[in-house]
Amino acid sequence: MTNRTEQRNTEEMLRPSAWLMRASSDVSHLLATEAVADTGLDPTTLDLLLRLRLAPGRRLRGVDLCEQLHKSPSHVSRVIDRAEAAGLARREPDPNDRRAHLIAATPAGESATDEYLPHLED
């Protein structure tokens, strides 16, 4: 009897977490397949641009982007490279650390986030 009660209690405790994970997955999928897809950008590039747009001074260090995007430094570096090649972002010297760079959205990158908003609202 104790095992059955413990199993039921465990399932009851896990259920809200499972619902939350499912909702998160569903929202992420919907954004990626609908709103983000309509921009012509991949979800990680758009996420990068949104984070830059909302950052203090509209600039972030690469290490901060890794933390916020939950991606490895090599992955974020490739995303920045793609955004830079597309004219959406640029690397600037960090005035506080000459070994580091700040990443900033270009005017085209900021326009891309503006163009995303109507798709998000839809």
Side-chain angles (χ1 to χ4, degrees):
M1 183 93 146
T2 304
N3 282 342
R4 194 172 210 49
T5 301
E6 288 176 6
Q7 182 179 1
R8 189 172 46 242
N9 288 340
T10 299
E11 289 172 2
E12 287 174 9
M13 289 173 47
L14 290 174
R15 191 166 285 115
S17 178
W19 290 334
L20 181 59
M21 292 178 83
R22 174 63 190 262
S24 173
S25 177
D26 289 350
V27 168
S28 178
H29 177 74
L30 183 61
L31 285 172
T33 58
E34 299 290 329
V36 176
D38 290 342
T39 67
L41 299 172
D42 66 274
T44 306
T45 300
L46 183 59
D47 195 3
L48 172 108
L49 294 172
L50 290 169
R51 290 172 191 279
L52 293 173
R53 180 82 182 257
L54 298 171
R58 295 191 175 193
R59 289 165 177 70
L60 287 170
R61 292 176 23 168
V63 68
D64 298 323
L65 284 166
C66 292
E67 193 174 292
Q68 289 186 24
L69 295 170
H70 304 289
K71 305 285 183 194
S72 69
S74 61
H75 186 102
V76 170
S77 182
R78 287 190 301 273
V79 173
I80 294 167
D81 287 345
R82 282 196 310 268
E84 201 170 29
L88 301 171
R90 66 179 176 274
R91 288 176 170 93
E92 301 173 348
D94 184 341
N96 300 318
D97 183 351
R98 65 183 181 167
R99 299 166 297 167
H101 288 90
L102 295 173
I103 313 306
T106 63
E110 291 201 3
S111 290
T113 60
D114 289 340
E115 292 168 13
Y116 168 65
L117 188 55
H119 300 290
L120 181 61
E121 290 173 338
D122 287 345

